[in-house]
Amino acid sequence: MRAARAVEPGFSPLDEELGLLPGKLTPRLQQSVVRMGSWMPFERAAGELEELLGVKLSEPRVRRLTEKAGAAMIEVEKAEVERLEREVPMAPAGPAVQLLSVDGAMVPLVGREWTEVKTLVLGEVSLEPGERRGEKVIKTSALSYFSRNCEAEEFARQALHETHRRGVERAGRVCGVCDGAEWEQKFIDYHRPDAVRILDFPHAAEYVAAVGRSVYGEQSVEFNQWFNTRRHQLRHGEEEEVLAALRRLSQQEPTKRELIEEKLQYLTKRREMIRYEKF
């Protein structure tokens, strides 16, 4: 005969036996709350849960459950990073060609304050390009994301959990597509120093466009014609012609020279990262 088990107030042995979490919600319902709460504003999530599942929860409760789950996930991932650093296990095999991209975005906090959240994106690059509007298109699938609100050095360390899981270390070739910020390049150095560095095309094109707007005016026909030509050259292996065009404008427009030289130097420093036809 089993000995009687002491039961504290508010505790049910059956809850533990069935694997239920503390509180009145089932594990599946808590999972739904957290999924909705991490997908949309908490107030809207509460409304959707009531509409879809008939469960009425307040906005503060949805917030608390979501944030509690997020905090628990972070602790689990931190522990995994420490294990990886301690044991240094072999990473799983990665894809033949892998995308690695990092960036930062400003997000609002309570009290009208803002902070930068850094995000890593990993994906598998198809070896068979598609086509769109007569141009070759590279397709990427199996995307996963990892975000943290922390300094760049700590972000690179904490991301080890995700880069190890996705096999970055053992992928055949890794393409680091970023906007050129120094911290992003250091991130790539930390995880895959031999990665092919690519300045994301919209970022490079914006530097070229800024020069054209300053010289011709944003709404002018001359700007549209000039920029369309330069953008086509940049995409199709004529990046040196683009840089030469910027140098000519620097000589022809002395009043705009400071701005033009700033954009030109940025692109010249990263000229090996703008070989888009090759990439």
Side-chain angles (χ1 to χ4, degrees):
M1 181 174 180
R2 295 173 60 184
R5 180 174 182 180
V7 179
E8 298 177 358
F11 172 80
S12 169
L14 182 60
D15 286 357
E16 185 177 80
E17 187 175 329
L18 296 177
L20 300 182
L21 300 175
K24 297 181 180 180
L25 305 184
T26 65
R28 182 59 182 270
L29 182 53
Q30 289 204 35
Q31 181 181 4
S32 298
V33 172
V34 172
R35 183 177 179 86
M36 299 290 277
S38 61
W39 183 20
M40 61 185 67
F42 299 120
E43 184 175 4
R44 182 183 170 192
E48 293 294 331
L49 286 164
E50 183 174 6
E51 178 70 23
L52 296 173
L53 303 178
V55 178
K56 191 170 184 178
L57 298 175
S58 66
E59 182 270 349
R61 191 173 186 191
V62 173
R63 179 191 298 271
R64 286 196 301 270
L65 288 170
T66 304
E67 292 180 346
K68 184 178 179 180
M73 182 190 73
I74 288 175
E75 290 306 313
V76 169
E77 292 180 346
K78 284 183 177 179
E80 176 64 6
V81 168
E82 293 173 0
R83 184 189 73 82
L84 293 173
E85 291 176 330
R86 182 175 62 253
E87 300 178 6
V88 195
M90 178 178 289
V97 182
Q98 187 172 56
L99 164 73
L100 183 158
S101 184
V102 287
D103 202 355
M106 301 303 294
V107 298
L109 302 176
V110 176
R112 298 184 178 181
E113 296 182 0
W114 292 76
T115 188
E116 184 183 58
V117 171
K118 298 174 178 63
T119 296
L120 161 70
V121 184
L122 295 171
E124 298 181 10
V125 181
S126 172
L127 298 180
E128 298 183 3
E131 188 173 300
R132 183 175 61 199
R133 298 175 185 174
E135 291 192 359
K136 187 183 300 182
V137 176
I138 307 302
K139 296 182 178 181
T140 306
S141 61
L143 295 173
S144 65
Y145 303 84
F146 177 86
S147 298
R148 283 291 183 275
N149 177 17
C150 60
E151 296 300 320
E153 185 175 345
E154 180 62 15
F155 176 67
R157 177 176 173 267
Q158 291 298 328
L160 179 62
H161 167 268
E162 184 65 7
T163 58
H164 179 85
R165 186 182 75 86
R166 295 299 305 272
V168 171
E169 182 182 346
R170 297 180 59 203
R173 174 171 290 181
V174 175
C175 302
V177 184
C178 305
D179 68 14
E182 292 297 331
W183 76 264
E184 296 172 4
Q185 299 308 310
K186 290 180 180 179
F187 182 98
I188 298 174
D189 289 339
Y190 185 90
H191 290 282
R192 188 63 190 256
D194 65 338
V196 178
R197 316 294 173 108
I198 303 174
L199 182 65
D200 73 80
F201 186 82
H203 198 79
E206 174 54 31
Y207 269 74
V208 176
V211 172
R213 283 195 293 266
S214 71
V215 174
Y216 301 108
E218 185 170 7
Q219 303 299 326
S220 68
V221 174
E222 291 83 357
F223 165 69
N224 286 327
Q225 292 175 340
W226 181 88
F227 178 57
N228 287 337
T229 298
R230 303 303 166 227
R231 182 171 54 188
H232 185 273
Q233 290 177 323
L234 189 62
R235 184 181 289 276
H236 295 282
E238 300 179 51
E239 57 277 353
E240 294 300 335
E241 285 79 355
V242 174
L243 297 178
L246 299 185
R247 293 191 199 96
R248 288 195 297 271
L249 286 180
S250 178
Q251 296 300 317
Q252 297 167 4
E253 303 287 340
T255 61
K256 310 288 184 180
R257 185 167 297 162
E258 183 176 354
L259 181 145
I260 296 172
E261 285 297 322
E262 175 193 339
K263 308 303 182 185
L264 176 59
Q265 289 176 20
Y266 181 93
L267 293 172
T268 300
K269 181 180 178 180
R270 296 162 176 82
R271 69 198 314 155
E272 294 305 317
M273 300 170 63
I274 60 175
R275 312 290 190 189
Y276 296 111
E277 178 69 17
K278 174 185 175 181
F279 299 145

